Amino acid sequence: MGADFLQPALLAFGMAALPFNLAWWGNSTLGCYVFHFYFKEQVGMWAWSLCDFVAWDPTGLLAFFLIIGLCMIFTSVLGPAGHYLLLSPVLLYPRVKSLISAAAATAQRQKTMRCCFLIFLGSSPVLLGPALSALAITLRG
């Protein structure tokens, strides 16, 4: 087995064993993967700047943790933003479709109510019965 298969498989198995809900970061991987090509040069420059900023640390651990923090920020903020940007057509289509169908249903109900009201006004007072005759004559007015 190659390292290109074994490493991601072991990472997935290890993450599945954690008692935390990692769905947020799982959803962000698509956005991070697609958009990292656009940001990799600039983020690389930021990482070098961070390393230069903490060059006084002899262990190098501070630079390591700052770079891990930078990666966490990108994964937690820019990854989900990219994910939802990429999926926005799929997510917006059902919403727009339901809004259009709700507006059409409302228009149909209003049209039906108008037709029923006009039929009611146009009915003969003899067919309506004695209780509704006075109301129909008054509304025809």
Side-chain angles (χ1 to χ4, degrees), residues 97-140:
K97 188 176 176 182
S98 68
L99 288 174
I100 290 172
S101 65
T106 302
Q108 182 63 31
R109 274 195 306 271
Q110 289 175 349
K111 184 178 177 183
T112 304
M113 291 299 290
R114 253 183 276 140
C115 289
C116 291
F117 186 68
L118 291 175
I119 290 171
F120 175 73
L121 289 179
S123 296
S124 169
V126 176
L127 296 175
L128 290 174
L132 298 176
S133 298
L135 180 62
I137 293 170
T138 307
L139 289 176
R140 259 194 238 160

Side-chain angles (χ1 to χ4, degrees), residues 23-136:
W24 178 265
W25 290 280
N27 284 338
S28 73
T29 54
L30 174 65
C32 288
Y33 177 72
V34 170
F35 288 110
H36 87 277
F37 294 108
Y38 301 111
F39 299 119
K40 68 179 179 180
E41 297 297 326
Q42 185 61 40
V43 174
M45 295 305 294
W46 291 347
W48 280 112
S49 298
L50 281 175
C51 290
D52 291 340
F53 181 69
V54 293
W56 51 266
D57 181 29
T59 62
L61 288 175
L62 187 58
F64 173 75
F65 287 119
L66 283 176
I67 291 172
I68 294 297
L70 182 67
C71 294
M72 290 297 295
I73 288 171
F74 271 90
T75 303
S76 300
V77 177
L78 292 178
H83 172 80
Y84 287 112
L85 178 71
L86 289 170
L87 292 180
S88 61
V90 174
L91 297 174
L92 286 177
Y93 177 73
R95 178 76 175 151
V96 170
K97 188 176 176 182
S98 68
L99 288 174
I100 290 172
S101 65
T106 302
Q108 182 63 31
R109 274 195 306 271
Q110 289 175 349
K111 184 178 177 183
T112 304
M113 291 299 290
R114 253 183 276 140
C115 289
C116 291
F117 186 68
L118 291 175
I119 290 171
F120 175 73
L121 289 179
S123 296
S124 169
V126 176
L127 296 175
L128 290 174
L132 298 176
S133 298
L135 180 62

